[in-house]
């Protein structure tokens, strides 16, 4: 662990304490502004000095709650996860204050101040943590406090990790060396880097390594006090949090299929119904305009119908606004057409960047992704989801490898991680990898992030055909 990381982690305690005090003062001041006093006059007799005598010790209680909530863990979390924990911890602090107030009516006479403390403290603390994170990343980008990574494995994932760390130095990782294998010579070179303080993390990026070599590398990392990371490929393991059972005194590990089981599935269905309903209502004027344009173009109706594969490989009737000529489906299997234009996608999917089958109106619809608006109805009636893997044709699914069929375990979606990460530019294997990441790591927050980023991907036409 770098000293700079320990410094920032330790600094969070006094900074959080000061932020809580400032938030409490701000909440107190809000109660006396005319906008609120005109609605409800101040009826309590509480001075700022007396208020602070209560707040200063209570802020210490909040810090203890923060510590119990894991807000001072050295491990870096996503900002969204940390913000959620902050809101939960502040809420728990308010609950403690209410519990104390139940036995002491003199603690707080204003419910407004309590509510304001909850809102302002949550906001201030999130801003404070964001500021600290920005300062850290600025220092990392200048090489201050960065961790030096040694990558083992000149594989695709190894090269992608090296490129990623090089492209984003603000994350605090600097690749000092990359080796193809773990040999005695490699050990010596890593030890030399260690002596020069150029090796902090040993990252294994070779999914084909055997168990004996893995144990050797892990032991070496432990002995030399190197943080050990293992980059698993798509299918050798699962990213879902394992569940440990004990049967006959033997620990047995269960790997859940996806967090979308149980309450996750209930939440996602409610999310789909609410979001699709509002999207249908708000897009009604656009639907009318597009339908009129397609009628004028006269290329075979307003909607394009096709059988697609849904959840658990059950086919469903898929439709969207028509964007191609009448015989588009027949042309994709025409040998002469394929010979002339080819197929620009690797794997079982068929795609052309400048597809001659697309009509003039269809080109505009695809450019703005307006052709997919009718899919909102499919979501509302439960055939699709707002976010998930794209629905593919039965003949495409027939060519999937067994492991790739795991993307069919959830409902197909209008958008997803693959769409916002490159859309049509991704090859099929990369698309499946991202879809599997979504399935194994799903969370309500992930759905919101994908939903917010989708318009940006459409606007900047990230990989759009």
């Amino acid at each position: 662990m770098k000293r700079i990381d320990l410094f920032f982690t330790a600094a969070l305690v006094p900074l959080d304490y000061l932020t809580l005090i400032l938030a409490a003062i701000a909440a107190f001041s809000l109660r006396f502004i005319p906008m609120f006093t005109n609605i409800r006059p101040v009826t309590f007799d509480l001075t700022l000095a007396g208020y602070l005598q209560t707040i200063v010790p209570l802020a210490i209680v909040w810090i203890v709650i923060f510590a119990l909530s894991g807000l001072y863990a050295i491990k870096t979390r996503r900002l969204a996860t940390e913000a959620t924990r902050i809101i939960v911890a502040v809420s728990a602090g308010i609950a403690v204050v209410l519990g104390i107030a139940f036995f002491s009516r003199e603690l707080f006479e204003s419910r407004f101040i309590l509510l304001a403390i909850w809102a302002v403290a949550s906001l201030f603390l999130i801003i404070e943590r964001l500021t600290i994170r920005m300062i850290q990343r600025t220092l990392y980008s200048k090489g201050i406090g960065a961790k030096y990574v040694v990558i083992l494995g000149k594989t695709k994932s190894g090269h992608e990790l090296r490129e990623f760390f090089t492209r984003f130095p603000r994350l605090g990782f600097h690749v000092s060396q990359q080796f193809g294998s773990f040999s005695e010579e490699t050990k010596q070179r890593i030890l030399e880097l260690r002596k020069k303080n150029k090796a902090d993390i040993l990252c294994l990026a070779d999914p084909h390594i055997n168990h004996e070599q893995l144990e050797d590398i892990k032991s070496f990392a432990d002995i030399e006090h190197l943080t050990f990371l293992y980059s698993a490929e798509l299918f050798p393991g699962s990213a879902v949090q394992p569940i440990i059972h004990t049967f006959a005194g033997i620990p047995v590990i269960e790997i859940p299929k996806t967090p979308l089981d149980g309450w996750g599935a209930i939440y996602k269905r409610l999310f789909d119904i609410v979001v699709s309903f509002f999207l249908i209502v708000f897009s009604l004027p656009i639907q009318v305009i597009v339908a009129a344009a397609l009628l004028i173009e006269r290329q075979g109706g307003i909607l394009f119908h096709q059988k697609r594969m849904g959840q658990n490989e059950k086919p469903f009737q898929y439709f969207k606004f028509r964007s191609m000529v009448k015989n588009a489906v027949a042309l994709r299997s025409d040998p002469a057409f394929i010979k002339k234009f080819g197929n620009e996608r690797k794997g079982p999917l068929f795609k052309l960047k400048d597809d001659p089958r697309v009509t003039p109106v269809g080109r505009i619809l695809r450019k703005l992704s307006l052709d997919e608006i009718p899919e909102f109805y499919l979501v509302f009636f439960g055939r699709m989801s707002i976010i998930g893997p794209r629905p593919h044709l039965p003949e495409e699914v027939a060519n999937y490898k067994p492991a790739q069929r795991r993307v069919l375990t959830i409902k197909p979606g209008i958008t997803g991680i693959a769409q916002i990460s490159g859309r049509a530019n991704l090859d099929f294997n990369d698309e499946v990898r991202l879809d599997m990441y979504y399935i194994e790591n799903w969370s309500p927050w992930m759905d919101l992030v994908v939903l917010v980023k989708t318009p940006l991907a459409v606007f900047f036409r990230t990989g759009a055909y």
Side-chain angles (χ1 to χ4, degrees):
M1 177 60 62
K2 292 280 188 177
R3 290 183 179 179
I4 190 170
D5 295 325
L6 293 173
F7 170 78
F8 277 109
T9 302
L12 286 175
V13 177
L15 288 174
D16 282 354
Y17 183 79
L18 291 174
T19 302
L20 285 168
I21 298 297
L22 290 174
I25 294 173
F28 182 83
S29 301
L30 282 174
R31 184 62 185 91
F32 295 93
I33 64 175
M35 182 174 66
F36 295 113
T37 55
N38 290 337
I39 298 172
R40 186 179 179 85
V42 177
T43 58
F44 59 85
D45 184 19
L46 179 64
T47 64
L48 180 60
Y51 173 73
L52 287 176
Q53 286 180 359
T54 303
I55 287 298
V56 169
L58 278 179
I60 298 175
V61 176
W62 249 301
I63 294 298
V64 174
I65 294 173
F66 286 2
L68 295 174
S69 301
L71 284 173
Y72 300 118
I74 295 176
K75 178 183 177 181
T76 304
R77 300 187 190 89
R78 290 183 177 183
L79 183 61
T81 303
E82 191 162 4
T84 302
R85 291 203 176 199
I86 286 172
I87 294 172
V88 171
V90 172
S91 302
I94 290 292
V96 170
V97 172
L98 289 173
I100 297 173
F102 179 79
F103 296 101
S104 175
R105 294 178 59 88
E106 299 178 359
L107 184 59
F108 276 106
E109 300 179 23
S110 173
R111 288 171 293 181
F112 175 91
I113 292 179
L114 275 177
L115 183 62
I117 288 175
W118 176 81
V120 176
S122 298
L123 177 62
F124 280 19
L125 286 163
I126 291 172
I127 293 173
E128 175 225 324
R129 293 295 180 108
L130 178 60
T131 303
I132 294 296
R133 188 166 298 206
M134 290 174 62
I135 293 172
Q136 275 186 290
R137 293 194 170 185
T138 300
L139 294 174
Y140 287 153
S141 64
K142 297 181 181 298
I144 302 173
K147 303 175 186 67
Y148 289 93
V149 182
V150 175
I151 298 177
L152 290 177
K154 292 188 176 180
T155 58
K156 181 182 178 181
S157 57
H159 294 311
E160 287 178 350
L161 282 171
R162 181 167 192 161
E163 181 183 352
F164 180 81
F165 291 147
T166 303
R167 192 190 311 165
F168 300 105
R170 67 180 184 275
L171 296 178
F173 299 99
H174 176 82
V175 179
S176 55
Q177 191 62 265
Q178 183 178 8
F179 300 100
S181 62
F182 189 68
S183 61
E184 288 299 324
E185 181 184 354
T186 303
K187 288 183 182 180
Q188 293 303 318
R189 294 181 64 180
I190 294 174
L191 289 174
E192 290 175 6
L193 290 170
R194 184 70 172 150
K195 289 178 181 178
K196 298 176 182 177
N197 294 321
K198 298 292 184 181
D200 301 302
I201 298 173
L202 191 58
C203 180
L204 179 59
D206 185 356
H208 305 296
I209 198 166
N210 61 47
H211 181 75
E212 185 178 346
Q213 288 176 307
L214 178 61
E215 286 291 329
D216 189 21
I217 296 170
K218 177 65 169 62
S219 298
F220 174 79
D222 290 343
I223 293 170
E224 299 301 329
H225 303 287
L226 296 169
T227 300
F228 180 70
L229 302 180
Y230 175 63
S231 171
E233 289 291 349
L234 179 59
F235 297 114
S238 174
V240 182
Q241 185 69 31
I243 302 172
I244 301 177
H245 305 278
T246 302
F247 302 115
I250 301 172
V252 179
I253 299 175
E254 174 190 350
I255 304 297
K257 295 185 291 296
T258 170
L260 280 167
D261 287 337
W263 281 105
I266 296 172
Y267 166 84
K268 190 167 179 65
R269 182 61 190 136
L270 292 173
F271 175 86
D272 285 340
I273 292 173
V274 173
V275 174
S276 62
F277 174 78
F278 281 105
L279 289 175
I280 288 171
V281 173
F282 291 143
S283 65
L284 279 175
I286 299 175
Q287 294 179 47
V288 174
I289 295 171
V290 171
L294 291 173
L295 284 174
I296 294 171
E297 192 178 44
R298 295 183 180 179
Q299 280 288 345
I302 296 172
L303 296 176
F304 167 75
H305 295 265
Q306 196 175 50
K307 183 183 289 186
R308 296 286 179 97
M309 300 302 286
Q311 187 178 19
N312 299 323
E313 300 191 44
K314 293 180 180 179
F316 70 98
Q317 194 65 27
Y318 170 85
F319 54 82
K320 64 178 181 176
F321 282 130
R322 182 190 44 74
S323 60
M324 290 187 173
V325 296
K326 295 179 183 179
N327 61 336
V329 176
L331 285 174
R332 66 175 288 151
S333 58
D334 181 36
F337 180 85
I338 295 174
K339 183 178 180 181
K340 182 177 180 180
F341 296 102
N343 182 8
E344 297 179 3
R345 289 291 297 272
K346 296 179 180 179
L349 304 189
F350 179 86
K351 288 287 183 180
L352 290 174
K353 184 175 183 180
D354 297 313
D355 199 323
R357 301 173 298 167
V358 180
T359 65
V361 173
R363 204 166 296 280
I364 296 173
L365 296 181
R366 287 189 167 202
K367 185 177 181 179
L368 300 175
S369 293
L370 298 179
D371 58 322
E372 298 181 2
I373 288 178
E375 295 177 6
F376 299 155
Y377 294 94
L378 291 170
V379 173
F380 187 77
F381 291 109
R383 298 295 185 182
M384 292 179 61
S385 179
I386 292 291
I387 297 158
R390 289 296 295 157
H392 293 148
L393 295 166
E395 56 266 31
E396 293 172 339
V397 173
N399 294 321
Y400 283 11
K401 297 175 182 177
Q404 293 171 341
R405 291 178 178 270
R406 294 174 68 194
V407 299
L408 300 170
T409 58
I410 66 172
K411 291 179 183 178
I414 297 176
T415 184
I417 293 182
Q419 283 68 44
I420 65 172
S421 301
R423 301 176 78 189
N425 285 336
L426 295 172
D427 65 35
F428 180 68
N429 289 328
D430 287 336
E431 182 179 325
V432 171
R433 181 176 64 181
L434 290 171
D435 287 336
M436 285 309 307
Y437 177 84
Y438 173 79
I439 291 171
E440 295 180 346
N441 297 272
W442 173 86
S443 68
W445 178 257
M446 185 181 291
D447 274 359
L448 290 174
V449 170
V450 173
L451 191 62
V452 170
K453 286 188 175 182
T454 296
L456 299 177
V458 173
F459 180 77
F460 291 107
R461 292 181 290 170
T462 309
Y465 276 147

